[in-house]
Amino acid sequence: MNSVFGEMEYRNSMYHGTSQIKLWNKTFDIKVYPVTNSKSKEITPKQERAYEYFKKNIIDIQKKIEELLGKISETEDTNVLLSRYEPYELVFDLNGGCGLEIYDNVTDDEYDADFVIIILPDLGIDTSEHYL
C-alpha cells in the first residue's frame, strides 16, 4: 500500500495498480505503473508527486489529451476518435516523468501500445519503445 498510489501489486520490477481516465465523455480503466529498478523496489517521491499532479489536474490533462489526439488524427469527430484510440497504461518513470500509453486500433495488429502521450515533464508524443 502506497499513501499516494494506493493498493499496488509488485511484480516484474514494477508496481501494478489501476485508475481511470475520461476522454470524450467515456471512462476508460487504465493500468498504473510506477517503474522501479534493480537497486530499489521503492516508489520514488518524484513518482508520487507526478501522480498527485496527475490526479489534481486530471480534467485539464484529459482536455489536452483530447485536443492532441484530435490534431494527430485530423478530426474532431468523437465517434471516430473513440473507435480509434484507447488509453491503456499510465507509466511513471523514476525521475517523475509520466506518460499515457495509447492503442491505435487502426494500425494495431498485436494490441501493443503504439505511442505514448507524455504528460510530464512536458506534453508531447513519443513511441512506446522509445519512452519505455
Side-chain angles (χ1 to χ4, degrees), residues 5 10 13-15 33-50 91-99 120 131-132:
F5 282 91
Y10 186 81
S13 299
M14 290 167 61
Y15 282 94
Y33 294 119
V35 178
T36 59
N37 63 24
S38 59
K39 294 178 185 175
S40 171
K41 293 182 180 179
E42 300 297 315
I43 294 173
T44 69
K46 289 179 181 179
Q47 289 170 317
E48 290 175 339
R49 284 192 296 276
V91 179
F92 294 87
D93 68 30
L94 293 169
N95 294 317
C98 169
L120 290 172
Y131 182 76
L132 299 174

Side-chain angles (χ1 to χ4, degrees), residues 25-87:
N25 294 317
K26 180 178 179 184
T27 301
F28 294 90
D29 292 324
I30 57 173
K31 297 175 183 179
V32 175
Y33 294 119
V35 178
T36 59
N37 63 24
S38 59
K39 294 178 185 175
S40 171
K41 293 182 180 179
E42 300 297 315
I43 294 173
T44 69
K46 289 179 181 179
Q47 289 170 317
E48 290 175 339
R49 284 192 296 276
Y51 194 45
E52 287 172 336
Y53 172 86
F54 175 81
K55 292 190 299 186
K56 181 180 177 186
N57 296 287
I58 186 69
I59 293 174
D60 187 47
I61 290 168
Q62 291 169 157
K63 182 179 174 190
K64 288 179 180 177
I65 290 171
E66 289 171 349
E67 290 171 359
L68 195 56
L69 291 173
K71 281 183 187 176
I72 64 171
S73 62
E74 299 178 348
T75 184
E76 293 181 15
D77 185 329
T78 303
N79 293 324
V80 170
L81 293 166
L82 279 170
S83 67
R84 180 163 186 178
Y85 299 117
E86 182 180 345

Side-chain angles (χ1 to χ4, degrees), residues 89-106:
E89 298 174 340
L90 189 60
V91 179
F92 294 87
D93 68 30
L94 293 169
N95 294 317
C98 169
L100 180 66
E101 291 193 57
I102 302 283
Y103 288 135
D104 183 339
N105 294 317
V106 171

